[in-house]
């Protein structure tokens, strides 16, 4: 017998609304605050003590030196990538806990979230999306249906990314293969420890894992 869906929690909704409003006013720190709000929502999905556990996790994110540094100027890791990745994780956990098959609407939202993750930082999206797909299969029953669902929303998200990226390349005149050639070269450099990695180890685009 399936468990009833939980009623919306006014406290969590209000908290996230306050965080979102504060993020709008703070500008460069917006992404960090949005990520903290999404951490609260993720905690609410996985534990009854979400206020304590989620609050501690959000505070640790907010006081992290890297997060503080990234909130002083527009940085892709803190301002763009983190909240979008947290959004994809929250949607996946929320929908995975629902009984029955994944609906078209929910699957479409997951696909869009995966597309945005790929757009923000393709180099790390490969690992994150892969882990998300494996987690989905392990956490859903029956496993065969879970595999079909994971393949569907991951494939749809990848299709959306490649489609929109192709349109962007056509509009800007950039070769479609350029990003993937650079990505493959950087991946190879990281794996085989060539001199380029040692010489440019501080560059964000070489941080694969």
């Amino acid at each position: 017998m399936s468990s009833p869906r939980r009623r919306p929690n006014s406290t969590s909704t209000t908290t996230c609304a306050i965080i979102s409003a504060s993020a709008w006013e703070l500008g460069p720190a917006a992404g960090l605050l949005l990520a903290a709000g999404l951490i609260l929502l993720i905690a609410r999905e996985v534990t009854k003590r979400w206020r304590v556990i989620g609050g501690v996790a959000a505070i640790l994110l907010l006081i992290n030196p890297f997060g503080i540094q990234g909130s002083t100027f527009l940085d892709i890791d803190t301002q763009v990538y983190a909240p979008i990745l947290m959004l994809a994780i929250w949607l996946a956990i929320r929908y995975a806990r629902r009984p029955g098959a994944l609906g078209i609407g929910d699957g479409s939202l997951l696909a869009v979230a995966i597309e945005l993750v790929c757009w923000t930082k393709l180099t790390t999206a490969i690992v994150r999306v892969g882990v998300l797909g494996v987690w989905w299969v392990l956490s859903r029953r029956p496993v065969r249906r879970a595999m079909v669902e994971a393949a569907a929303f991951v494939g749809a998200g990848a299709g959306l990314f490649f489609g929109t990226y192709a349109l962007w390349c056509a509009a800007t005149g950039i070769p479609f293969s350029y990003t993937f050639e650079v990505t493959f070269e950087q991946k190879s450099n990281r794996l085989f420890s060539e001199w380029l990695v040692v010489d440019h180890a501080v560059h964000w685009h070489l941080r694969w894992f």
Side-chain angles (χ1 to χ4, degrees), residues 11-144:
T11 304
S12 61
T13 303
T14 303
T15 301
C16 292
I18 293 173
I19 291 176
S20 299
S22 302
W24 179 267
E25 294 294 332
L26 290 178
L32 187 64
L33 289 172
L34 289 174
L38 286 164
I39 285 176
L40 289 174
L41 291 178
I42 292 172
R44 180 174 174 264
E45 294 294 331
V46 299
T47 177
K48 294 181 179 179
R49 303 184 64 184
W50 65 270
R51 292 177 180 85
V52 176
I53 296 176
V56 170
I59 290 173
L60 289 175
L61 173 67
L62 293 174
I63 65 175
N64 182 283
F66 179 76
I68 295 174
Q69 173 185 315
S71 66
T72 58
F73 55 88
L74 186 58
D75 177 74
I76 189 171
D77 288 317
T78 307
Q79 303 302 323
V80 183
Y81 181 66
I84 290 178
L85 179 62
M86 291 298 104
L87 175 63
I89 294 174
W90 173 59
L91 289 175
I93 294 175
R94 184 175 179 83
Y95 296 155
R97 290 170 60 86
R98 293 180 178 178
L102 179 68
I104 296 178
D106 295 343
S108 299
L109 287 177
L110 270 173
V112 171
I114 289 175
E115 176 204 8
L116 293 176
V117 170
C118 293
W119 264 108
T120 52
K121 199 169 184 182
L122 182 61
T123 52
T124 55
I126 299 173
V127 177
R128 305 300 191 272
V129 173
V131 170
L132 192 64
V134 171
W135 173 85
W136 182 276
V137 173
L138 294 178
S139 62
R140 297 271 287 175
R141 294 293 182 273
V143 175
R144 182 174 298 181

Side-chain angles (χ1 to χ4, degrees), residues 122-128 179-194 196-197 205-209:
L122 182 61
T123 52
T124 55
I126 299 173
V127 177
R128 305 300 191 272
T179 296
F180 306 103
E181 290 173 355
V182 173
T183 297
F184 178 77
E185 181 180 353
Q186 293 170 354
K187 177 75 169 180
S188 301
N189 289 336
R190 180 63 180 267
L191 290 178
F192 295 104
S193 301
E194 295 183 5
L196 185 62
V197 177
H205 56 277
L206 294 179
R207 296 174 187 168
W208 272 92
F209 303 106

